[in-house]
Amino acid sequence: MGEKKHIRADFVSGHYQFSTDKGSSFEFGPESAPYDYLLGALSGCLFKTFEEVAVKMRISWEHVSFEVNGTKRDAVPTTLEEVVITVQASGTDNQQKFLKAFETATRYCSIYQTISQVSRMSWSVDFL
């Protein structure tokens, strides 16, 4: 059986958050939309997956940032139609290995793979 995961979400007027069993807490505002959470979860999952691959490949970097843009379908259910991820990376020691690690991460990231079942996915990396 796989590892079990659990969060607790609390919604009090003007204060929304969820917490993990490991003590991490994430706040979000009442003006946030569900797709903000989904795209945020995608960026976090994809980065952590990339980080695991990069460590194994002995790739180093100074700063990595993601811009994640999603377009929702108009038809119900309004799943994402397209997701474009633009990565900016600085201080990389090997750009080709970085690209290979990121491509591998897209194949192993569970959230990326789940969204890809209903959405066109694309990504690019800009090296600074």
Side-chain angles (χ1 to χ4, degrees):
M1 179 185 274
E3 179 183 1
K4 293 185 179 189
K5 294 294 186 179
H6 169 260
I7 64 112
R8 176 186 167 92
D10 291 290
F11 305 96
V12 178
S13 182
H15 182 83
Y16 305 162
Q17 76 175 40
F18 68 91
S19 303
T20 69
D21 288 341
K22 294 182 179 180
S24 296
S25 182
F26 302 91
E27 293 186 34
F28 44 96
E31 299 302 317
S32 300
Y35 283 91
D36 297 340
Y37 313 136
L38 179 61
L39 296 180
L42 169 62
S43 68
C45 181
L46 188 53
F47 176 76
K48 291 303 286 182
T49 305
F50 162 77
E51 184 178 44
E52 290 176 7
V53 173
V55 166
K56 289 178 184 172
M57 293 177 69
R58 294 189 172 110
I59 299 167
S60 64
W61 66 89
E62 290 176 9
H63 184 196
V64 173
S65 64
F66 291 8
E67 293 284 338
V68 183
N69 292 289
T71 305
K72 287 175 44 179
R73 285 187 175 82
D74 291 328
V76 175
T78 56
T79 58
L80 289 168
E81 183 174 346
E82 180 178 29
V83 176
V84 178
I85 303 164
T86 304
V87 179
Q88 290 187 331
S90 63
T92 57
D93 60 347
N94 185 319
Q95 292 180 358
Q96 291 299 2
K97 282 177 73 175
F98 187 99
L99 290 170
K100 178 65 177 164
F102 195 82
E103 187 276 328
T104 301
T106 64
R107 289 187 281 123
Y108 287 100
C109 172
S110 59
I111 295 175
Y112 186 100
Q113 287 301 310
T114 299
I115 296 171
S116 75
Q117 299 303 305
V118 296
S119 177
R120 288 187 315 277
M121 305 288 284
S122 62
W123 59 270
S124 63
V125 177
D126 298 325
F127 293 101
L128 306 175

